[in-house]
Amino acid sequence: MVEFHATTICAVRRGSDDIAIGGDGQVTMGQTAIMKNGAKKVKKIYNNQVLTGFAGSVADAFSLTEKFEKKLEEHGGNLKRAAVDLAQMWRSDRGMRNLEALMIVIDKDDMLVISGTGEVIAPDQDFVAIGSGGNFAYSAANALFNHTDMGAAEIVEESLKIASSICVYTNDNISVEKL
């Protein structure tokens, strides 16, 4: 899988009614300059039924989110079908093939990571993290999910705070969306 030094996104599901995704706000230009501290990289789409977050190029991610929302509408809100369709288009379309981003999409039934190499991955656990601080956030989410009674939004926020204390490409200006 491609690794991006751009951000950290974390998603957690505790049952079908406690679902959250969050991301930090840092936009890094190259490897030496912080261009923005308060970017929002997570949002609700498809009539507030789907959460999405991206890591990678901001412009590319906005384009992908827009395309993904169109795929959701084409497939009547079926997250898996829309994700597979987007991944196939992303992989085969010459213009899209150069887009540099990873996405997490989540609804009440499914959580998926979508990549430009055509991968659509359903994580084994009910938590996932991507981006430059993804491994740090994933480790924190794993511990918090399995050893506390914290809710999804609390786990997401705390995991991102921990990642921001370790990863130079992740800040503590965190935004969280819940279903």
Side-chain angles (χ1 to χ4, degrees):
M1 211 179 275
V2 180
E3 184 178 333
F4 297 104
H5 299 291
T7 197
T8 303
I9 304 294
C10 182
V12 175
R13 176 202 341 271
R14 281 211 185 261
S16 63
D17 63 345
D18 188 14
I19 302 165
I21 193 167
D24 75 305
Q26 185 165 304
V27 175
T28 307
M29 182 74 138
Q31 294 189 15
T32 58
I34 297 169
M35 297 299 292
K36 184 172 181 155
N37 287 306
K40 189 167 183 207
K41 303 167 193 168
V42 295
K43 67 189 254 184
K44 290 181 182 178
I45 61 172
Y46 194 71
N47 302 316
N48 296 326
Q49 296 176 35
V50 174
L51 299 175
T52 184
F54 61 83
S57 163
V58 175
D60 291 352
F62 282 135
S63 175
L64 289 167
T65 301
E66 189 176 288
K67 290 178 187 316
F68 181 70
E69 193 161 18
K70 287 179 184 173
K71 293 295 181 187
L72 274 172
E73 295 196 18
E74 284 176 27
H75 295 291
N78 185 313
L79 195 76
K80 285 182 180 175
R81 288 185 63 204
V84 168
D85 205 11
L86 177 70
Q88 288 174 338
M89 182 173 68
W90 192 353
R91 184 175 170 189
S92 62
D93 183 276
R94 286 171 51 125
M96 285 184 66
R97 208 175 303 144
N98 295 325
L99 298 180
E100 296 181 356
L102 287 171
M103 293 178 66
I104 296 174
V105 295
I106 185 170
D107 68 6
K108 64 182 179 58
D109 299 315
D110 296 298
M111 180 182 333
L112 304 168
V113 176
I114 308 170
S115 80
T117 57
E119 295 173 274
V120 177
I121 302 161
D124 290 335
Q125 303 288 328
D126 282 330
F127 50 88
V128 68
I130 59 173
S132 58
N135 288 338
F136 306 121
Y138 182 86
S139 296
N142 189 345
L144 296 169
F145 186 91
N146 288 306
H147 300 287
T148 73
D149 292 329
M150 293 170 72
E154 293 172 293
I155 293 171
V156 164
E157 187 166 355
E158 191 60 31
S159 298
L160 289 166
K161 284 180 184 176
I162 291 168
S164 76
S165 72
I166 302 167
C167 177
V168 297
Y169 298 104
T170 304
N171 71 13
D172 63 358
N173 189 346
I174 296 164
S175 53
V176 177
E177 292 284 349
K178 300 188 304 185
L179 278 186

